[in-house]
Amino acid sequence: MAAFVETATEIALAAGSLLRYFFERRVRFEMKGDYDLVTEADRASEKLVVERLREHFPTHSIVAEEGGGQETGTEYRWYVDPLDGTTNFAHGYPAWNVTMALEKSGELIAGVVFDPFRGELFAAEKGSGAFLNGHRLKVSAASRIADSLLCTGFPNHNRKTNPNIHYFHDLAMSAHGVRRGGSAGIDLAYVAAGRLDGFWEFGLSPWDMAAGIVLIEEAGGVCSDMAGRKHFLKSPHLLADNGLVHAELLGVFGEISAGRSRHAMPVPSAL
Ligand code: IPD
Ligand code: CA
Ligand code: CA
């Protein structure tokens, strides 16, 4: 199995160099939807990743964001996000990554997230731990929301019907802060690294979160949907944290979902 992580790492490093080349030259973007950007860098990176995965693992299925993958019907499936954080990338904001994860018979077994800008390679394989540039990772020790730094995301799809602003507001009033990094792969890797205590988002795609789930679980954290059900890419809604704040976060999510936010949202006229 180490061979899977090693190969994915090699491919992620190559895709990362390619993405840096485009980033330094600033590429034009096109719109795939109201808020959904895509660039030639997304497509070039996907081509590289998919071609190399096929060379190494010709029988494996590949699900890739820009559509370059294919189903082969075998037990192994790769999830590829060739550029996670395209909006940041297109604006010259240095928070984006390339990420891929491997599933075997429905279970995630390996994942990598590479941030070329900081030279940080997060890698994990089931049962062997999670690592940042070779150093073992462990989730944070914060045990209360009140002591936590959290992070969330607002998806590119169906943003107008996404209720996240209510959860964002409530938790911003309760925690040390809520970040919105713009790159789910890095956000999740930071939970595994103990730089963040928890992350959530409504409406993720499997390639956004697959590697992050392996990283967090291997670093001692917990991933579920917003109702606490074990999360294996079956739900687009993800709550991922150090495990110590999971129950409290689930309680808060339950309250907000039932319309009982603990902090009234101020109206603009109050200014
Ligand atoms: C997006 C980023 C963002 C998250 C969105 C994702 P993309 O990925 O991860 O942080 O909030 O839901 O779609 O489109 O840049 O690969
Ligand atoms: Ca993504
Ligand atoms: Ca992407």
Side-chain angles (χ1 to χ4, degrees), residues 94-117:
W96 42 271
N97 69 95
V98 49
T99 176
M100 65 195 87
L102 180 62
E103 180 186 80
K104 183 183 180 194
S105 307
E107 189 186 9
L108 289 168
I109 57 167
V112 300
V113 170
F114 180 46
D115 170 358
F117 212 81

Side-chain angles (χ1 to χ4, degrees), residues 42 65-66 81 83-84 86:
D42 296 70
E65 181 175 11
E66 307 310 330
D81 193 338
L83 170 48
D84 176 46
T86 298

Side-chain angles (χ1 to χ4, degrees), residues 28-95:
R28 281 205 311 276
F29 59 84
E30 299 151 39
M31 301 304 292
K32 286 196 282 186
D34 281 356
Y35 305 102
D36 206 359
L37 281 64
V38 65
T39 71
E40 59 178 309
D42 296 70
R43 297 193 184 102
S45 174
E46 179 161 310
K47 187 167 180 292
L48 182 154
V49 173
V50 169
E51 276 175 10
R52 296 207 186 174
L53 282 177
R54 276 204 191 113
E55 270 164 38
H56 287 276
F57 311 111
T59 60
H60 292 189
S61 292
I62 302 173
V63 179
E65 181 175 11
E66 307 310 330
Q70 73 181 47
E71 281 294 330
T72 58
T74 55
E75 55 185 346
Y76 289 102
R77 178 180 295 114
W78 289 91
Y79 291 97
V80 175
D81 193 338
L83 170 48
D84 176 46
T86 298
T87 305
N88 287 346
F89 186 96
H91 287 268
Y93 186 93

